Amino acid sequence: MAYWLMKSEPTTYSFDDLCHQPKKTDFWDGVRNYQARNFMKAMSIGDEAFFYHSNCKEPGIVGSVKIVKAAYPDDTSWDPDSPYFDPKSTPENPRWFRVDVQAIAPFTHPILLSDLKAHPGLDGLPLIQKGSRLSVMPVSEAHWKSIMAMQVTS
DNA sequence: GCCAACGTTGGC
DNA sequence: GCCAACGTTGGC
């Protein structure tokens, strides 16, 4: 059982979009960074992840999701019509992978990036480290619990 | 829109 | 294998 954080730009795909999918489940495709891909490959069914809205007015964690399918090839990578097309990825030798996630629940109040930065005890959280741009990153159990506790009291 | 940080590409 | 050039991310 591990914990993660996954970023999405809400104008592209928001937590609300996920909640409106059948069974609140959708695939998480389009990751084209090796480190982020490797983290996705390390995910197991039942792992939980924060859903983070990036590149928007108030960036922050807006909800949580559960991993419901482990990493499998991302077929958008060999679709020439996909914005995520990568000519070096083929069905025989897939380079990129995706997982399926299911929304658990939206947070009643988003936990903003500024809140996370101001909160004591979150040192080392990759999200708030300078220059961190990964779209998928691990969260320690201690950090996960701290952030969950923030949600309750906010 | 700016720009710092970072990743990738490709010439050599 | 080095590294300059370029592209992308994402907060502000």
Side-chain angles (χ1 to χ4, degrees), chain A residues 1-153:
Chain A
M1 174 74 179
Y3 300 98
W4 310 93
L5 181 143
M6 304 173 85
K7 293 182 186 174
S8 183
E9 300 190 17
T11 54
T12 303
Y13 196 100
S14 69
F15 190 75
D16 204 44
D17 291 333
L18 177 60
C19 289
H20 284 92
Q21 293 299 315
K23 297 183 183 174
K24 298 184 178 183
T25 299
D26 208 348
F27 44 81
W28 197 283
D29 60 3
V31 171
R32 295 293 179 269
N33 170 283
Y34 289 106
Q35 212 178 338
R37 180 203 67 179
N38 292 343
F39 285 137
M40 280 207 303
K41 280 183 156 185
M43 291 176 176
S44 304
I45 292 175
D47 284 1
E48 294 179 23
F50 290 128
F51 194 117
Y52 178 88
H53 279 175
S54 69
N55 206 10
C56 56
K57 197 169 183 179
E58 291 192 316
I61 296 167
V62 294
S64 59
V65 301
K66 187 192 299 182
I67 309 304
V68 293
K69 184 171 180 179
Y72 61 103
D74 180 357
D75 59 22
T76 64
S77 65
W78 55 78
D79 174 4
D81 295 327
S82 168
Y84 305 127
F85 177 62
D86 178 354
K88 291 170 184 162
S89 184
T90 63
E92 295 74 28
N93 189 18
R95 174 175 294 206
W96 304 112
F97 291 78
R98 64 191 186 195
V99 297
D100 287 359
V101 300
Q102 179 177 38
I104 298 173
F107 287 179
T108 45
H109 302 288
I111 301 173
L112 303 181
L113 179 60
S114 53
D115 298 333
L116 294 167
K117 284 181 172 172
H119 194 76
L122 295 181
D123 294 343
L125 181 70
L127 179 72
I128 57 176
Q129 276 168 11
K130 191 180 176 184
S132 163
R133 298 188 318 176
L134 278 177
S135 60
V136 179
M137 57 181 77
V139 176
S140 72
E141 186 174 359
H143 286 159
W144 179 274
K145 287 179 175 168
S146 296
I147 294 167
M148 278 299 192
M150 289 171 70
Q151 192 230 343
V152 170
T153 56

